Amino acid sequence: MVALAFALPTAAARAEMVLRVATTLSDVPLTTGQASQGGEGMRFIGFTLYDGLINWDLSRSDVSAKLRPGLAESWSVDEATHTKWTFKLRPNVKFHDGSTFEANAVVWNLDKLLKRDAPQFDQNQATQASQYVSNIASYRVIDPMTVEITTKSADAVFPYLIADVGISSPARYKEVGGDWNKFGMTPSGTGPWKLDKLVPRERAELVRNPNYWDPKRVPKSDRMVLLMMPDPNTRVAALLSKQVDWVEAPPPDTLPRLKEAGMQIVTNIYPHNWPYQLSYSEGSPFRDIRIRKAANLAIDRKGLVEFLGGTAIPSEGMVDPKHPWFGKPNFKITYDPDEARRLMKEAGYSPEHPLKIKFAISTSGSGQMQPLPMNEFIQENLKAVGFDVQLEVLEWEALRARRRAGSDAPENKGIYGINNSFGYWDPDIGLIGTSWSKMRPPAGYNWGGFQDKEADELAAAAKVEFDPAKQDAILAKLHTRIVDQAMWIWVVHDLNPRAMAPNVKGFVQAQSWFQDLTPVYLQP
C-alpha cells in the first residue's frame, strides 16, 4: 500500500478532478474495441471508450436497463424475412483521433471480427465477440449513413447482441501501421472517455472526451483512474486511506467499518446469477437429475446471504422470482438437506460414501462476488449431503477461457462444474444461449452441453418471436423447464455493492452489469 500511495495522484496534486476507482480485475481489459474480463471489462473499458450501433440506457435505477440509439439513430428489420436489419447511422460523429464515423467504419469493424482474410482481422477481439456476431451472414454499405446486416436466421435478440460490438477507428489502425498491440496503447473509439495512459496489470487512465456526440453524457470528471486490485481487502484499505474514491465489491465483513468511516454503500438488484454451470459431458455425475436436484437442495442460501451481509438474495432459478421470465417451476429450490441426502442415497452416495467432484472457480472477477469464501461455504453444505468437492482455483480470465472452451475441451477434463457468474440482461445470455443444445461455445453459452427436447423447442420459438409479450411468455415456459430439470446449481443474485467516499456524487446505480460513469464527480 505504501508503493500505491506514491503511485496515485494525491489530493494536493490534483488540479483536475480525478475519480479513482479500484476494480476487482487483475489486468486491464483489452482496449482495442472488444473488452475482455467479462461484464466488468465492458463496464470500465468497453462502454467508456467505445459506442455500439445500439447503446444501453443506464440513466435510471428503478427499472431494468433498456436499449437506446447509439451510433445508429434507428434500426428496423425486414418484416418478410426477419433477417435483414437496416441501421440508419448518426451523422457528425468523430472518433477520438478526429476521423469521421460512417458506414464504411461499421463494415470495417465487422470484417475485424468475422473476415479472417481481412488485414484488420483480430483473433483476440473475435474471441471476445464470438457470441455476438456468430449469427451474422453478411453486411454491406447502403450509403454513407446506412448499413444493412443480414443474419443467418431470424433473430429477435439481435439488437441486444450488436449492442456489445464496439466500433474502433479504421484511421487509427492505419496510423499505427496495422498493429492491434500499438492500437491498444493509443485506442480510438467514439465513446465519452479517451484513454490517456495504460500500465498493464496496474492501471488505465481515461480522460474526458469534450466533443462526445451526446452532450448530456460528456463526463463530469476530468480524469478517471482505473486501478487493478483483485484483492478485496486491499481495495477497502485503499478507500479507507483515501487512495481511491470508489471500490467495487467490498467484502461483507468490512461494510460496518466502511459505514462507520462515512463511506457510501450503494446496492441495487441487477440481472445477475452466481451459479455453477454443470457438465453433461460423458462421465459427469450431473447427467443424473437426482444429483443435480440434491446439489440445489443442499445449499443454505439464506445462511449464505447472511454471511454476505445482506448484499445478495437467494436464487430460485436463473432469473429472480419477480422477473417476467420466471414462470411457474414445480421444482422449488430451497434448503432441504434431508431431501438432498435422500436423493443422493438413491443415486448411491452418502456423507460416508461421498461423490467426488471438482469445480473450477476464480480468485476474483466481474460478478464473482467473494468467490473464495462463498465456495468454501458451499463446499461444506455439499459435504453434509454426500459430495466431496475439490476446488480448482484459477485467475478470472483463465476461468473465462475454460468457459468459452466448453466442458468437452481437454483442459476441462474432470471438471464437472464451473463457477462463472452470469447475467440475464437479454434473452440470449439469460436463457436461450445457455439452454439450447445447439448453442454450445463459441456460438452460445451452453458450456456443459445441456440437452433437452422441450427446452430446445422453446428456445427456438423464443429466438424468432418478435412480439415482446409473446416472447416473454415463451421464455417463462423455458425458465420453468430448465428449473424443473435443475439445469445448473443456482445460488444467489448479487445486489452489486459498491463503496464510495462521501464526496462522490452523481452516480445512479442502473439495474445492469454496466454503469454510466459520465455523471460521477467529486464534490470539493
Short mmCIF file of all heavy atoms in Angstrom, two decimals, residues 32 43 292 301 415 464 467 500:
data_model
loop_
_atom_site.label_atom_id
_atom_site.label_comp_id
_atom_site.label_asym_id
_atom_site.label_seq_id
_atom_site.Cartn_x
_atom_site.Cartn_y
_atom_site.Cartn_z
N THR A 32 -8.89 -2.52 -27.39
CA THR A 32 -8.95 -2.35 -28.84
C THR A 32 -10.37 -2.22 -29.39
O THR A 32 -10.53 -1.93 -30.57
CB THR A 32 -8.25 -3.53 -29.51
OG1 THR A 32 -8.68 -4.75 -28.88
CG2 THR A 32 -6.74 -3.42 -29.39
N ARG A 43 -17.85 -2.70 -18.61
CA ARG A 43 -18.26 -1.55 -17.81
C ARG A 43 -17.19 -0.45 -17.80
O ARG A 43 -17.50 0.72 -18.00
CB ARG A 43 -18.52 -2.02 -16.37
CG ARG A 43 -19.01 -0.95 -15.41
CD ARG A 43 -19.06 -1.54 -14.00
NE ARG A 43 -19.69 -2.84 -13.98
CZ ARG A 43 -19.40 -3.84 -13.14
NH1 ARG A 43 -18.46 -3.66 -12.22
NH2 ARG A 43 -20.01 -4.99 -13.19
N ARG A 292 -28.30 -33.53 -9.57
CA ARG A 292 -28.46 -32.07 -9.79
C ARG A 292 -29.43 -31.48 -8.78
O ARG A 292 -29.20 -30.40 -8.21
CB ARG A 292 -28.96 -31.81 -11.22
CG ARG A 292 -28.08 -32.38 -12.31
CD ARG A 292 -28.33 -31.73 -13.67
NE ARG A 292 -29.66 -31.91 -14.21
CZ ARG A 292 -30.04 -32.94 -14.96
NH1 ARG A 292 -29.19 -33.92 -15.23
NH2 ARG A 292 -31.27 -33.01 -15.47
N ARG A 301 -29.00 -21.08 1.31
CA ARG A 301 -28.85 -19.77 0.65
C ARG A 301 -29.11 -18.61 1.63
O ARG A 301 -28.45 -17.57 1.54
CB ARG A 301 -29.79 -19.70 -0.55
CG ARG A 301 -29.38 -20.64 -1.67
CD ARG A 301 -30.41 -20.74 -2.78
NE ARG A 301 -29.99 -21.66 -3.82
CZ ARG A 301 -30.05 -22.99 -3.72
NH1 ARG A 301 -30.53 -23.55 -2.62
NH2 ARG A 301 -29.63 -23.77 -4.69
N ILE A 415 -13.51 -31.68 -14.81
CA ILE A 415 -14.22 -30.54 -14.22
C ILE A 415 -15.72 -30.75 -14.45
O ILE A 415 -16.18 -30.80 -15.58
CB ILE A 415 -13.79 -29.21 -14.86
CG1 ILE A 415 -12.28 -28.99 -14.69
CG2 ILE A 415 -14.59 -28.04 -14.27
CD1 ILE A 415 -11.85 -28.73 -13.28
N VAL A 464 -37.28 -16.57 -32.46
CA VAL A 464 -37.90 -15.99 -33.65
C VAL A 464 -39.21 -15.28 -33.33
O VAL A 464 -39.96 -14.94 -34.23
CB VAL A 464 -38.15 -17.07 -34.73
CG1 VAL A 464 -36.82 -17.66 -35.20
CG2 VAL A 464 -39.05 -18.19 -34.21
N ASP A 467 -42.62 -10.38 -31.17
CA ASP A 467 -43.55 -9.67 -30.28
C ASP A 467 -43.05 -9.83 -28.84
O ASP A 467 -43.00 -10.95 -28.31
CB ASP A 467 -44.95 -10.29 -30.42
CG ASP A 467 -45.98 -9.56 -29.56
OD1 ASP A 467 -45.78 -9.44 -28.33
OD2 ASP A 467 -46.98 -9.12 -30.11
N MET A 500 -18.13 3.99 -1.72
CA MET A 500 -17.60 5.24 -2.28
C MET A 500 -17.32 6.25 -1.16
O MET A 500 -18.00 6.24 -0.13
CB MET A 500 -18.63 5.86 -3.24
CG MET A 500 -19.02 4.96 -4.37
SD MET A 500 -20.36 5.68 -5.33
CE MET A 500 -20.75 4.27 -6.37
#
